[in-house]
Amino acid sequence: AQSVAQPEDQVNVAEGNPLTVKCTYSVSGNPYLFWYVQYPNRGLQFLLKYITGDNLVKGSYGFEAEFNKSQTSFHLKKPSALVSDSALYFCAVRDMMDSNYQLIWGAGTKLIIKP
Amino acid sequence: GAGVSQTPSNKVTEKGKYVELRCDPISGHTALYWYRQSLGQGPEFLIYFQGTGAADDSGLPNDRFFAVRPEGSVSTLKIQRTERGDSAVYLCASSLIPAGGPGEQFFGPGTRLTVL
């Protein structure tokens, strides 16, 4: 069965420091991987995706994520955190060959950037 | 251009009542999805439309839930005989590339449903 794990409910980072939000996945075949961000009282916003090719994917707002097939991970990173990055972050996966059209979502990680 | 819109933004109803939640996707997006999100959890898939037809409704929790998309654009999620456990934020998303491909989904702001 497909699944996504975000092992940290909350991540605290000081402004200006690098941040990492972890995501691991399980699919039978090859994955499509996504990161979304959710600000309070707003809809989910797409950040970046991995489809194929370069394992390092760059996205919106200076975020990037590294696909690691051997570790089945897709951690979200940013070199220098901003207070405005504070939000809820979701990782999602779909098996490339799966005829089921569902995205499988992690439970989310709350990112808090302290000034 | 306009994003995905959802109405109402908030809906309070009494147990046993019928509710309709509306989603207006991005123009030209053929794929439309409904999700339900409870506090502290990720989105839970409900149903996916490709055009007018429901390509995958396996996420609908029971037969009280039904969704339509008669003209391949606006969609309505209908909940009959609402229960307190139906209280959640209902999210709609659309995408240009069907879910069979890798297209990202664009989400609306959600409808917060509260069943008293």
Side-chain angles (χ1 to χ4, degrees):
Chain A
Q2 301 177 58
S3 66
V4 174
Q6 293 183 243
E8 303 152 316
D9 292 336
Q10 183 169 308
V11 171
N12 298 299
V13 178
E15 186 178 29
N17 283 1
L19 69 87
T20 299
V21 182
K22 295 179 180 177
C23 172
T24 59
Y25 66 90
S26 175
V27 295
S28 301
N30 292 317
Y32 292 140
L33 290 154
F34 302 82
W35 275 102
Y36 285 79
V37 60
Q38 188 172 37
Y39 297 100
N41 300 315
R42 294 176 63 180
L44 287 152
Q45 295 179 33
F46 169 77
L47 276 180
L48 50 79
K49 65 181 177 183
Y50 171 81
I51 304 302
T52 187
D54 194 347
N55 289 342
L56 185 63
V57 178
K58 294 187 183 296
S60 306
Y61 311 121
F63 283 93
E64 58 189 28
E66 186 168 11
F67 170 61
N68 188 318
K69 188 171 184 177
S70 63
Q71 297 184 7
T72 62
S73 67
F74 190 56
H75 301 330
L76 182 70
K77 300 180 180 183
K78 186 172 182 180
S80 179
L82 300 173
V83 172
S84 58
D85 293 330
S86 299
L88 195 53
Y89 290 80
F90 290 95
C91 180
V93 69
R94 192 175 82 75
D95 189 324
M96 208 178 286
M97 297 304 294
D98 200 339
S99 59
N100 184 320
Y101 299 123
Q102 299 177 27
L103 275 180
I104 305 302
W105 295 80
T109 298
K110 186 175 184 179
L111 178 64
I112 297 176
I113 309 300
K114 298 182 178 180
Chain B
V4 177
S5 62
Q6 292 185 247
T7 55
S9 55
N10 281 283
K11 176 69 177 179
V12 180
T13 191
E14 294 179 343
K15 181 176 178 296
K17 298 291 188 182
Y18 168 83
V19 297
E20 291 189 352
L21 312 180
R22 176 188 166 107
C23 172
D24 203 335
I26 293 173
S27 178
H29 281 194
T30 57
L32 184 146
Y33 316 79
W34 282 100
Y35 294 90
R36 180 168 67 175
Q37 186 178 24
S38 299
L39 193 63
Q41 297 182 20
E44 172 193 5
F45 171 81
L46 295 177
I47 187 170
Y48 156 63
F49 287 90
Q50 180 57 38
T52 60
D56 182 355
D57 65 356
S58 62
L60 294 177
N62 52 59
D63 61 6
R64 295 187 297 106
F65 288 75
F66 189 71
V68 296
R69 195 186 184 198
E71 298 179 357
S73 179
V74 172
S75 175
T76 304
L77 178 66
K78 308 180 180 190
I79 310 174
Q80 297 178 320
R81 305 184 303 280
T82 51
E83 300 177 356
R84 292 192 180 88
D86 299 335
S87 297
V89 176
Y90 288 81
L91 300 172
C92 176
S94 69
S95 68
L96 181 60
I97 301 173
E104 62 267 29
Q105 298 174 23
F106 295 85
F107 282 81
T111 294
R112 183 176 298 278
L113 176 66
T114 303
V115 182
L116 301 177

